[in-house]
Amino acid sequence: MLSTSEFATWATKVVLFLHNTSRADDEPYPTLLQEKGGNGFPTVCYLDADGGLLKQVGHVTPVTELETAWQDLQAWTALRAAVAAGKADAGKQLELFRMELAMGNRPFAEMVKRRQGVVIADSEEAAVEQQLVNLQFTEILRGTPRDQQQVGGERFVAMFREQRIPDTTTETSYWQYMFAFAKHKNDVALFEELLAHLKKAKAGDQRLTR
């Protein structure tokens, strides 16, 4: 996709930044892919002027998807500016909350606090709660060094005890990091508990077999 003339034409809308995750000794941003939530090559993201993640589009992405994400960001920018200027009613504030929760570009603590200030329909409660779980998980995952999985795993165990289980595409890391924590602590009981849960919850899942 990156080598097509269609992409070259479309790309005049943005400032391109290509990060080569080569693990070279002099790489100035060795953990950038992880920090932005990527788990495959290539990962396409929109960043703000300070490098903050605005929206992750995905892996090998058609230009049409890039354009859709671009249009979504324009709508988000306008709505956020209206709310910040006090020109939006409660309905627009709820719309912004939903949009940013789906985008996952705001801190978990902020979104939990804002959740208290909007009225969510009963039919949406479960979906909103799951998105908050996913945001919490993703934030911990991005902040955990890949060579210290047990650190994130300890926090994931706390989530697991509260039955807060993510359903994102990177969900396998949730279990992987908890197993790493159990191994680090030589906690056989926890390891067996996690394995038993997975065997029941993921019965038939080929990833578990592997």
Side-chain angles (χ1 to χ4, degrees):
M1 183 269 291
L2 298 178
S3 62
T4 65
S5 59
E6 183 184 14
F7 175 78
T9 300
W10 178 88
T12 58
K13 295 182 177 183
V14 297
V15 176
L16 295 177
F17 174 79
L18 178 63
H19 178 253
N20 179 14
T21 308
S22 59
R23 299 184 181 180
D25 292 339
D26 59 349
E27 167 55 54
Y29 310 106
T31 62
L32 185 64
L33 179 67
Q34 175 193 346
E35 291 170 8
K36 303 309 175 187
N39 66 334
F41 303 95
T43 292
V44 181
C45 299
Y46 283 101
L47 308 178
D48 62 21
D50 297 317
L53 180 67
L54 295 178
K55 187 178 182 67
Q56 185 180 119
V57 185
H59 299 315
V60 182
T61 306
V63 172
T64 52
E65 291 186 19
L66 291 177
E67 177 60 23
T68 297
W70 168 259
Q71 295 297 334
D72 289 345
L73 282 172
Q74 304 317 298
W76 166 76
T77 300
L79 181 57
R80 186 168 177 80
V83 170
K87 299 178 181 179
D89 58 19
K92 290 296 184 182
Q93 293 177 31
L94 176 58
E95 182 182 348
L96 180 64
F97 173 80
R98 286 173 175 155
M99 187 180 294
E100 293 186 332
L101 189 56
M103 292 168 66
N105 65 0
R106 308 302 302 168
F108 171 68
E110 175 190 318
M111 296 306 287
V112 169
K113 183 177 181 179
R114 285 170 56 188
R115 166 68 185 83
Q116 308 306 315
V118 295
V119 178
I120 303 294
D122 291 344
S123 60
E124 293 184 84
E125 282 284 357
V128 167
E129 182 56 34
Q130 185 62 59
Q131 286 180 307
L132 285 170
V133 169
N134 292 344
L135 181 59
Q136 181 183 15
F137 159 68
T138 302
E139 191 170 285
I140 294 172
L141 183 62
R142 290 173 180 168
T144 302
R146 291 292 171 89
D147 60 351
Q148 298 178 40
Q149 294 181 3
Q150 72 278 3
V151 176
E154 182 173 12
R155 299 179 67 184
F156 290 154
V157 168
M159 291 178 64
F160 179 70
R161 295 293 181 222
E162 297 176 350
Q163 299 183 30
R164 297 175 62 80
I165 300 175
D167 62 2
T168 67
T169 56
T170 55
E171 174 226 8
T172 51
S173 295
Y174 180 76
W175 307 101
Q176 180 182 347
Y177 284 28
M178 284 195 290
F179 279 124
F181 174 69
K183 179 180 180 181
H184 180 72
K185 291 293 186 179
N186 292 319
D187 192 334
V188 176
L190 174 60
F191 199 100
E192 290 180 335
E193 179 186 2
L194 294 170
L195 186 58
H197 180 95
L198 273 178
K199 285 183 175 180
K200 182 177 180 179
K202 303 290 186 180
D205 190 321
Q206 292 302 312
R207 293 174 300 174
L208 178 61
T209 301
R210 182 175 70 249

